[in-house]
Amino acid sequence: MNYDYNLSAIAVPLILAAGSVLVLLTDVLLGKKAKDSAYQTTLTILALAGVFCFTRWGTGGSAFFGQVYTDGFTSFFNLAFLTVGFLVVLNSPNYLIRNGIDHGEYYMLILLALLGMTFMASAGDLLIFFLGLETMSICLYVLAGFHKSRAKSNESSLKYLLLGAFFTGFLLYGMALVYGQVGSTNLAEISNYLAEAANPLGGYMGIGLALLLIGLTFKMAVVPFHFWSPDVYDGAPTPVTAFMSTAPKAAAFAAALRIFYHPGIELGIPWENVLWVLAVLTMTVGNFAALAQTSVKRMLAYSSITHAGYLLVGFLASNELGASGMLFYLFMYGFMNVGAFTIAYLVNRRGKGNYNLSDFAQLGTKSPMLAALMSIFMLSLTGIPPLAGFFGKLYIFSAAVQEGYVWLVVIAVLNSAISVFYYLRVMVMMYMREGEDLADLEKAPTVAITAVICGLAILIFGLFPSPLLDLARASIIALL
Amino acid sequence: METFFFILFAVVAIFSGLMVILKKNPIASVMFLILALFATAALYVMLMAPFMAAIQIIVYAGAIMVLFLFVVMLLNLSKIQEGGVSALKIIGALVAGGIMVAIAVVVRSIAIPADSGFLRELPAEYGTVESIGRSMFITYLLPFEIASFLLLAAIIGAVVLAKKKLE
């Protein structure tokens, strides 16, 4: 018998798993003497995992009886998760210490959430995907409620837990029906079945895949399964919100590509119509709700719904350019959102703590660097060239045009135009409004460094997008 | 005969599942949960999975339910106060019931294709302890290990949320 246990195939999750236990131990043993030992250990582990991921870039193939893929797609997403994780952890202590919730468990839960995501992106079996998703979700439920003394944080955690458990039911029922129809939970066998079946969505396959899609779109916060996200994002501690709005979304899209991306297999008109309607609803509802927000944190929460809609356009186009555009976009979206939330948190300390838009008044003169960085994030989220956000949208929309979804792209571009209003409102506030007397900005070096890294990444990948796009394209080709 | 027992246990499972959420006395809820777990265990037996049925009874109906009962008694929960029937609750019940009926109709209306996994022959050693052990510790070793980290995350998370003051 061939025991297919190739441990190097799961090197990154192994480092994260060992690291999470190590962080817990260092916090218990050294936490009293050196307060930030857990923080430093976590950063070291994430950097180590990143180096491993980069030097042993996936070359294809699978391990553990086809349950885990070791291709470029896995490595690409692992790198994206680790980058977001690193940036979030880097700027967390400021928030945690100020709110008196500076516990080592925070870092451990972030590491375990990342562990779950790596398995979602590398899953070759529905079972692995499901376990990865649940590991990630359980960590996020707790992280959302990490600020225990604040009622809003508790509300956020509870809402996410109850709705998450409800949608897990959909996901599992879908998996059970797919398993019943195909006779296997292995993704390769499922795609073989879809390729060979005369009517791919016949029998229980159609309803099974539809329920699976509902479970996944919940995690992506796609309309009409988005109701949780504004409240959950708003109530969670801000670094956690930055984390939740980027990495899990990328993980859900990675899993969706793994399960549903089969070029050459037509799933049929009803399937496309459903995705079309979901994409249009998600873009439009997110946009119009964001217009009405006065809190920057809620505005960013609704804007993240809109961006899920843009990504769905690429998912629907489902050709090589569209899928690699999604990878590019997801990677850059991590930088944009983490950067924006980081600055929103820092600026919020000037005001009353409600993330009011007016807290941004006169930031342009008080702190030109932060204002410039925030402008970069806002312009990139809008999709203004030559920033990275523009190229993400460009690739996705041109892929959709190639596939003949002209009206969908028209709607998407119109939505981008609407979004200019609420993104630029932040900039107008910063540069053109007289503010009331607001406290000065505090010095928070780690937070500033995070924002600078995010801003630089957006500029660099905006000016030179092709290396990253080539990497994304190679990952997608490996997926075929 | 098989259909008769299936319907019997299915009805018991659904009825006691409903009672778990409808009973106002927490102890009664827990008792009905035990009944629901037993009925599901009986369904496992009918699906040729006696080991799963035994585990279900030992772990869930046995160990976990004892914990539930202890917690209910320690907290000394009295009857739950409820706000009566509101329009929202009725709408919710109607929507949930409607979705259930819709799914049932769709699932019933689909003819099972001959090549589907539903109709395959069971392997000879299906459901035995040995075959479960082999697949759990050979083929599905990795999911087994991931599940252990899932539980670790849940334990740490529960401690973080439940402890009054972390230090």
Side-chain angles (χ1 to χ4, degrees), chain A residues 126-170:
Chain A
L126 287 178
L127 192 57
I128 299 276
F129 154 64
F130 177 71
L131 285 168
L133 180 97
E134 281 305 296
T135 310
M136 173 188 93
S137 302
I138 284 187
C139 295
L140 291 180
Y141 302 149
V142 179
L143 284 171
F146 209 78
H147 200 163
K148 283 192 290 179
S149 55
R150 246 175 86 232
K152 260 175 124 182
S153 184
N154 290 331
E155 177 199 341
S156 158
S157 174
L158 195 63
K159 265 191 183 154
Y160 197 20
L161 169 70
L162 291 176
L163 286 172
F166 183 60
F167 277 90
T168 297
F170 283 87

Short mmCIF file of all heavy atoms in Angstrom, two decimals, chain A residues 126-170:
data_model
loop_
_atom_site.label_atom_id
_atom_site.label_comp_id
_atom_site.label_asym_id
_atom_site.label_seq_id
_atom_site.Cartn_x
_atom_site.Cartn_y
_atom_site.Cartn_z
N LEU A 126 -13.76 17.71 -0.43
CA LEU A 126 -14.73 18.54 0.27
C LEU A 126 -14.55 18.48 1.78
O LEU A 126 -14.79 19.45 2.49
CB LEU A 126 -16.16 18.11 -0.10
CG LEU A 126 -16.62 18.46 -1.50
CD1 LEU A 126 -18.03 17.93 -1.74
CD2 LEU A 126 -16.59 19.96 -1.72
N LEU A 127 -14.07 17.33 2.27
CA LEU A 127 -13.88 17.16 3.71
C LEU A 127 -12.83 18.13 4.23
O LEU A 127 -13.02 18.81 5.25
CB LEU A 127 -13.47 15.72 3.97
CG LEU A 127 -13.48 15.23 5.40
CD1 LEU A 127 -14.85 15.41 6.00
CD2 LEU A 127 -13.06 13.79 5.46
N ILE A 128 -11.68 18.21 3.52
CA ILE A 128 -10.61 19.12 3.93
C ILE A 128 -11.10 20.56 3.86
O ILE A 128 -10.85 21.37 4.76
CB ILE A 128 -9.39 18.96 3.00
CG1 ILE A 128 -8.85 17.54 3.07
CG2 ILE A 128 -8.31 19.97 3.34
CD1 ILE A 128 -7.93 17.30 4.19
N PHE A 129 -11.81 20.87 2.79
CA PHE A 129 -12.33 22.22 2.62
C PHE A 129 -13.23 22.58 3.80
O PHE A 129 -13.11 23.66 4.38
CB PHE A 129 -13.10 22.32 1.30
CG PHE A 129 -14.16 23.36 1.27
CD1 PHE A 129 -13.82 24.70 1.40
CD2 PHE A 129 -15.49 23.02 1.14
CE1 PHE A 129 -14.80 25.66 1.39
CE2 PHE A 129 -16.46 23.99 1.14
CZ PHE A 129 -16.13 25.32 1.27
N PHE A 130 -14.11 21.65 4.16
CA PHE A 130 -15.06 21.95 5.24
C PHE A 130 -14.34 22.14 6.57
O PHE A 130 -14.64 23.07 7.32
CB PHE A 130 -16.08 20.82 5.35
CG PHE A 130 -17.04 21.04 6.49
CD1 PHE A 130 -17.98 22.03 6.40
CD2 PHE A 130 -16.96 20.29 7.64
CE1 PHE A 130 -18.85 22.26 7.46
CE2 PHE A 130 -17.81 20.51 8.69
CZ PHE A 130 -18.76 21.50 8.59
N LEU A 131 -13.36 21.26 6.85
CA LEU A 131 -12.65 21.40 8.13
C LEU A 131 -11.86 22.71 8.17
O LEU A 131 -11.79 23.38 9.19
CB LEU A 131 -11.71 20.20 8.34
CG LEU A 131 -12.43 18.92 8.74
CD1 LEU A 131 -11.49 17.74 8.64
CD2 LEU A 131 -12.94 19.03 10.16
N GLY A 132 -11.26 23.08 7.03
CA GLY A 132 -10.54 24.35 6.97
C GLY A 132 -11.47 25.51 7.22
O GLY A 132 -11.18 26.41 8.02
N LEU A 133 -12.63 25.46 6.58
CA LEU A 133 -13.61 26.55 6.73
C LEU A 133 -14.06 26.68 8.18
O LEU A 133 -14.16 27.78 8.72
CB LEU A 133 -14.83 26.27 5.84
CG LEU A 133 -15.92 27.30 5.90
CD1 LEU A 133 -15.77 28.26 4.75
CD2 LEU A 133 -17.27 26.67 5.88
N GLU A 134 -14.30 25.55 8.84
CA GLU A 134 -14.79 25.62 10.21
C GLU A 134 -13.69 26.09 11.16
O GLU A 134 -13.95 26.85 12.08
CB GLU A 134 -15.32 24.25 10.66
CG GLU A 134 -16.70 23.96 10.12
CD GLU A 134 -17.70 25.03 10.49
OE1 GLU A 134 -17.97 25.22 11.68
OE2 GLU A 134 -18.19 25.72 9.58
N THR A 135 -12.44 25.63 10.92
CA THR A 135 -11.35 26.10 11.78
C THR A 135 -11.24 27.62 11.67
O THR A 135 -11.13 28.33 12.68
CB THR A 135 -10.02 25.45 11.34
OG1 THR A 135 -10.21 24.06 11.22
CG2 THR A 135 -8.93 25.73 12.33
N MET A 136 -11.29 28.12 10.44
CA MET A 136 -11.22 29.56 10.24
C MET A 136 -12.39 30.25 10.93
O MET A 136 -12.21 31.22 11.66
CB MET A 136 -11.26 29.84 8.74
CG MET A 136 -11.37 31.29 8.38
SD MET A 136 -11.64 31.50 6.62
CE MET A 136 -13.41 31.57 6.54
N SER A 137 -13.62 29.73 10.71
CA SER A 137 -14.80 30.41 11.23
C SER A 137 -14.80 30.47 12.75
O SER A 137 -15.11 31.52 13.33
CB SER A 137 -16.06 29.71 10.75
OG SER A 137 -16.08 29.66 9.36
N ILE A 138 -14.45 29.36 13.39
CA ILE A 138 -14.51 29.35 14.85
C ILE A 138 -13.54 30.39 15.42
O ILE A 138 -13.88 31.13 16.34
CB ILE A 138 -14.20 27.93 15.39
CG1 ILE A 138 -15.42 27.08 15.16
CG2 ILE A 138 -13.81 27.96 16.85
CD1 ILE A 138 -15.37 25.73 15.76
N CYS A 139 -12.36 30.50 14.81
CA CYS A 139 -11.41 31.51 15.27
C CYS A 139 -11.99 32.91 15.07
O CYS A 139 -11.85 33.78 15.92
CB CYS A 139 -10.09 31.39 14.53
SG CYS A 139 -9.24 29.87 14.86
N LEU A 140 -12.66 33.11 13.94
CA LEU A 140 -13.20 34.44 13.67
C LEU A 140 -14.35 34.79 14.61
O LEU A 140 -14.48 35.94 15.03
CB LEU A 140 -13.68 34.54 12.21
CG LEU A 140 -12.57 34.50 11.17
CD1 LEU A 140 -13.16 34.59 9.78
CD2 LEU A 140 -11.57 35.62 11.38
N TYR A 141 -15.20 33.79 14.94
CA TYR A 141 -16.28 34.07 15.89
C TYR A 141 -15.70 34.62 17.19
O TYR A 141 -16.21 35.58 17.75
CB TYR A 141 -17.08 32.80 16.23
CG TYR A 141 -17.72 32.09 15.06
CD1 TYR A 141 -17.90 30.71 15.07
CD2 TYR A 141 -18.15 32.80 13.95
CE1 TYR A 141 -18.50 30.06 14.01
CE2 TYR A 141 -18.73 32.15 12.88
CZ TYR A 141 -18.90 30.78 12.92
OH TYR A 141 -19.47 30.13 11.86
N VAL A 142 -14.63 33.97 17.65
CA VAL A 142 -14.05 34.38 18.93
C VAL A 142 -13.35 35.73 18.77
O VAL A 142 -13.49 36.62 19.62
CB VAL A 142 -13.08 33.31 19.45
CG1 VAL A 142 -12.46 33.76 20.75
CG2 VAL A 142 -13.78 31.99 19.62
N LEU A 143 -12.62 35.90 17.68
CA LEU A 143 -11.89 37.16 17.49
C LEU A 143 -12.86 38.34 17.39
O LEU A 143 -12.58 39.42 17.90
CB LEU A 143 -11.04 37.09 16.21
CG LEU A 143 -9.77 36.25 16.33
CD1 LEU A 143 -9.13 36.07 14.97
CD2 LEU A 143 -8.79 36.92 17.28
N ALA A 144 -14.02 38.12 16.76
CA ALA A 144 -14.99 39.21 16.64
C ALA A 144 -15.48 39.64 18.01
O ALA A 144 -15.77 40.81 18.23
CB ALA A 144 -16.17 38.77 15.77
N GLY A 145 -15.56 38.70 18.94
CA GLY A 145 -16.03 39.04 20.28
C GLY A 145 -14.90 39.23 21.26
O GLY A 145 -15.10 39.14 22.47
N PHE A 146 -13.69 39.49 20.76
CA PHE A 146 -12.51 39.52 21.65
C PHE A 146 -12.59 40.69 22.63
O PHE A 146 -12.05 40.61 23.73
CB PHE A 146 -11.23 39.61 20.81
CG PHE A 146 -10.06 38.98 21.49
CD1 PHE A 146 -9.92 37.61 21.49
CD2 PHE A 146 -9.11 39.74 22.14
CE1 PHE A 146 -8.85 37.01 22.13
CE2 PHE A 146 -8.05 39.15 22.78
CZ PHE A 146 -7.91 37.78 22.77
N HIS A 147 -13.25 41.77 22.23
CA HIS A 147 -13.38 42.91 23.14
C HIS A 147 -14.61 42.68 24.01
O HIS A 147 -15.68 43.21 23.75
CB HIS A 147 -13.55 44.19 22.31
CG HIS A 147 -13.23 45.40 23.10
ND1 HIS A 147 -12.97 46.60 22.53
CD2 HIS A 147 -13.12 45.60 24.43
CE1 HIS A 147 -12.72 47.48 23.48
NE2 HIS A 147 -12.80 46.89 24.63
N LYS A 148 -14.43 41.86 25.07
CA LYS A 148 -15.58 41.33 25.78
C LYS A 148 -16.38 42.38 26.51
O LYS A 148 -17.58 42.23 26.70
CB LYS A 148 -15.11 40.29 26.81
CG LYS A 148 -14.76 38.97 26.17
CD LYS A 148 -14.59 37.92 27.22
CE LYS A 148 -13.33 38.18 28.02
NZ LYS A 148 -13.16 37.18 29.07
N SER A 149 -15.72 43.47 26.93
CA SER A 149 -16.44 44.45 27.75
C SER A 149 -17.32 45.36 26.89
O SER A 149 -18.09 46.14 27.42
CB SER A 149 -15.45 45.28 28.55
OG SER A 149 -14.52 45.88 27.66
N ARG A 150 -17.19 45.27 25.57
CA ARG A 150 -18.00 46.13 24.71
C ARG A 150 -19.19 45.36 24.17
O ARG A 150 -19.03 44.30 23.58
CB ARG A 150 -17.16 46.66 23.55
CG ARG A 150 -16.96 48.16 23.62
CD ARG A 150 -16.03 48.65 22.55
NE ARG A 150 -16.69 48.91 21.30
CZ ARG A 150 -16.31 48.41 20.13
NH1 ARG A 150 -15.27 47.61 20.08
NH2 ARG A 150 -16.95 48.71 19.04
N ALA A 151 -20.38 45.91 24.36
CA ALA A 151 -21.58 45.19 23.94
C ALA A 151 -21.58 44.94 22.44
O ALA A 151 -21.99 43.87 21.97
CB ALA A 151 -22.83 45.99 24.34
N LYS A 152 -21.11 45.93 21.68
CA LYS A 152 -21.14 45.79 20.23
C LYS A 152 -20.28 44.63 19.74
O LYS A 152 -20.62 43.95 18.77
CB LYS A 152 -20.64 47.08 19.58
CG LYS A 152 -21.74 47.98 19.08
CD LYS A 152 -21.12 49.26 18.57
CE LYS A 152 -21.50 49.53 17.15
NZ LYS A 152 -20.85 50.75 16.66
N SER A 153 -19.16 44.42 20.44
CA SER A 153 -18.27 43.32 20.07
C SER A 153 -18.95 41.99 20.34
O SER A 153 -18.87 41.05 19.53
CB SER A 153 -16.96 43.43 20.84
OG SER A 153 -16.05 42.46 20.45
N ASN A 154 -19.67 41.91 21.48
CA ASN A 154 -20.40 40.68 21.79
C ASN A 154 -21.49 40.42 20.76
O ASN A 154 -21.68 39.29 20.32
CB ASN A 154 -21.05 40.79 23.18
CG ASN A 154 -20.01 40.76 24.26
OD1 ASN A 154 -18.96 40.16 24.09
ND2 ASN A 154 -20.28 41.42 25.37
N GLU A 155 -22.19 41.49 20.40
CA GLU A 155 -23.26 41.36 19.41
C GLU A 155 -22.68 40.84 18.10
O GLU A 155 -23.23 39.93 17.47
CB GLU A 155 -23.91 42.73 19.20
CG GLU A 155 -24.98 42.73 18.13
CD GLU A 155 -25.27 44.13 17.61
OE1 GLU A 155 -24.93 45.11 18.30
OE2 GLU A 155 -25.82 44.24 16.51
N SER A 156 -21.56 41.41 17.72
CA SER A 156 -20.90 41.02 16.49
C SER A 156 -20.58 39.52 16.49
O SER A 156 -20.88 38.79 15.55
CB SER A 156 -19.63 41.85 16.35
OG SER A 156 -18.71 41.24 15.51
N SER A 157 -19.99 39.07 17.59
CA SER A 157 -19.59 37.66 17.70
C SER A 157 -20.80 36.74 17.64
O SER A 157 -20.81 35.75 16.91
CB SER A 157 -18.83 37.47 19.00
OG SER A 157 -18.55 36.13 19.20
N LEU A 158 -21.85 37.12 18.40
CA LEU A 158 -23.02 36.25 18.48
C LEU A 158 -23.74 36.16 17.13
O LEU A 158 -24.14 35.09 16.69
CB LEU A 158 -23.96 36.77 19.57
CG LEU A 158 -25.04 35.78 20.00
CD1 LEU A 158 -24.39 34.57 20.63
CD2 LEU A 158 -25.99 36.43 20.99
N LYS A 159 -23.90 37.32 16.48
CA LYS A 159 -24.56 37.33 15.18
C LYS A 159 -23.80 36.46 14.18
O LYS A 159 -24.39 35.68 13.43
CB LYS A 159 -24.61 38.76 14.65
CG LYS A 159 -25.89 39.46 14.97
CD LYS A 159 -26.01 40.77 14.21
CE LYS A 159 -27.28 41.46 14.64
NZ LYS A 159 -27.23 42.89 14.47
N TYR A 160 -22.50 36.60 14.19
CA TYR A 160 -21.68 35.86 13.24
C TYR A 160 -21.77 34.36 13.51
O TYR A 160 -21.92 33.56 12.60
CB TYR A 160 -20.24 36.35 13.34
CG TYR A 160 -19.35 35.99 12.18
CD1 TYR A 160 -19.89 35.64 10.94
CD2 TYR A 160 -17.98 36.03 12.30
CE1 TYR A 160 -19.08 35.34 9.89
CE2 TYR A 160 -17.16 35.72 11.24
CZ TYR A 160 -17.71 35.37 10.04
OH TYR A 160 -16.90 35.06 8.98
N LEU A 161 -21.73 34.02 14.81
CA LEU A 161 -21.81 32.60 15.18
C LEU A 161 -23.14 31.98 14.76
O LEU A 161 -23.17 30.93 14.12
CB LEU A 161 -21.61 32.44 16.69
CG LEU A 161 -21.92 31.04 17.23
CD1 LEU A 161 -20.87 30.06 16.77
CD2 LEU A 161 -22.00 31.04 18.73
N LEU A 162 -24.25 32.65 15.10
CA LEU A 162 -25.56 32.06 14.82
C LEU A 162 -25.79 31.93 13.32
O LEU A 162 -26.19 30.87 12.82
CB LEU A 162 -26.67 32.90 15.46
CG LEU A 162 -26.70 32.87 16.99
CD1 LEU A 162 -27.76 33.81 17.51
CD2 LEU A 162 -26.96 31.46 17.48
N LEU A 163 -25.51 33.01 12.58
CA LEU A 163 -25.73 32.94 11.13
C LEU A 163 -24.73 31.99 10.48
O LEU A 163 -25.07 31.26 9.55
CB LEU A 163 -25.63 34.33 10.52
CG LEU A 163 -26.85 35.20 10.82
CD1 LEU A 163 -26.62 36.62 10.37
CD2 LEU A 163 -28.07 34.63 10.13
N GLY A 164 -23.50 32.01 10.98
CA GLY A 164 -22.48 31.10 10.43
C GLY A 164 -22.89 29.65 10.60
O GLY A 164 -22.78 28.85 9.66
N ALA A 165 -23.40 29.31 11.79
CA ALA A 165 -23.83 27.93 12.02
C ALA A 165 -24.99 27.57 11.09
O ALA A 165 -25.05 26.47 10.54
CB ALA A 165 -24.25 27.76 13.48
N PHE A 166 -25.90 28.52 10.90
CA PHE A 166 -27.06 28.30 10.03
C PHE A 166 -26.59 28.00 8.60
O PHE A 166 -27.05 27.03 7.97
CB PHE A 166 -27.93 29.56 10.06
CG PHE A 166 -29.19 29.46 9.28
CD1 PHE A 166 -30.13 28.50 9.59
CD2 PHE A 166 -29.45 30.33 8.25
CE1 PHE A 166 -31.31 28.41 8.88
CE2 PHE A 166 -30.62 30.26 7.53
CZ PHE A 166 -31.56 29.29 7.84
N PHE A 167 -25.63 28.79 8.10
CA PHE A 167 -25.21 28.59 6.71
C PHE A 167 -24.30 27.39 6.56
O PHE A 167 -24.19 26.82 5.48
CB PHE A 167 -24.55 29.87 6.18
CG PHE A 167 -25.58 30.84 5.70
CD1 PHE A 167 -26.11 31.79 6.54
CD2 PHE A 167 -26.04 30.78 4.39
CE1 PHE A 167 -27.08 32.65 6.11
CE2 PHE A 167 -27.01 31.65 3.95
CZ PHE A 167 -27.53 32.59 4.80
N THR A 168 -23.64 26.98 7.66
CA THR A 168 -22.90 25.73 7.62
C THR A 168 -23.84 24.58 7.30
O THR A 168 -23.47 23.63 6.61
CB THR A 168 -22.18 25.50 8.96
OG1 THR A 168 -21.25 26.55 9.14
CG2 THR A 168 -21.46 24.17 8.97
N GLY A 169 -25.09 24.69 7.80
CA GLY A 169 -26.09 23.67 7.50
C GLY A 169 -26.33 23.56 5.99
O GLY A 169 -26.35 22.45 5.45
N PHE A 170 -26.49 24.70 5.32
CA PHE A 170 -26.67 24.69 3.86
C PHE A 170 -25.48 24.01 3.18
O PHE A 170 -25.64 23.17 2.29
CB PHE A 170 -26.79 26.12 3.34
CG PHE A 170 -28.13 26.74 3.58
CD1 PHE A 170 -28.42 27.38 4.76
CD2 PHE A 170 -29.11 26.66 2.61
CE1 PHE A 170 -29.66 27.94 4.97
CE2 PHE A 170 -30.36 27.22 2.81
CZ PHE A 170 -30.63 27.86 4.00
#
